[in-house]
Every structure is written in C-alpha cells, then in structure tokens.
Amino acid sequence: MIVIAGLSIGQLAAKAEINASTLRYYESVGLLPPPERKNGQRRYRKVGDF
C-alpha cells in the first residue's frame, strides 16, 4: 500500500511514471477527481494500491 499525502502534480507524475500533462488530461475528462489546491497548486492525497 502506498500513501500519497500532499504531493504536487510533478511528484505524483514522477511516481506514476507519466507526464504531468497526462494527469491534467485525466482530470479534465473526469478520470481523476479534482485535487485539493493549496496556494493555487494541485495537491493530491489518497491512500491506495498502485
């Protein structure tokens, strides 16, 4: 199990081995829920298996 807490889009993209633009696309088409924002930046938090 991996715990993701407060990762930036770049950090999450690196962990998932994809581009940040791919994450933005997944958000735009509804595959990912909108992340929390802190100071205007996306912050991802989720507990799950990857």
Side-chain angles (χ1 to χ4, degrees):
M1 180 180 288
I2 297 174
V3 178
I4 299 173
L7 293 180
S8 70
I9 192 168
Q11 291 168 323
L12 180 59
K15 285 190 176 290
E17 298 180 356
I18 59 175
N19 293 320
S21 59
T22 303
L23 286 173
R24 288 185 199 98
Y25 173 75
Y26 290 165
E27 289 171 18
S28 72
V29 297
L31 293 175
L32 290 176
E36 292 182 14
R37 291 193 177 251
K38 191 173 193 178
N39 297 325
Q41 295 181 348
R42 292 170 170 89
R43 291 295 171 185
Y44 296 87
R45 54 183 202 91
K46 174 77 177 162
V47 176
D49 295 321
F50 289 92

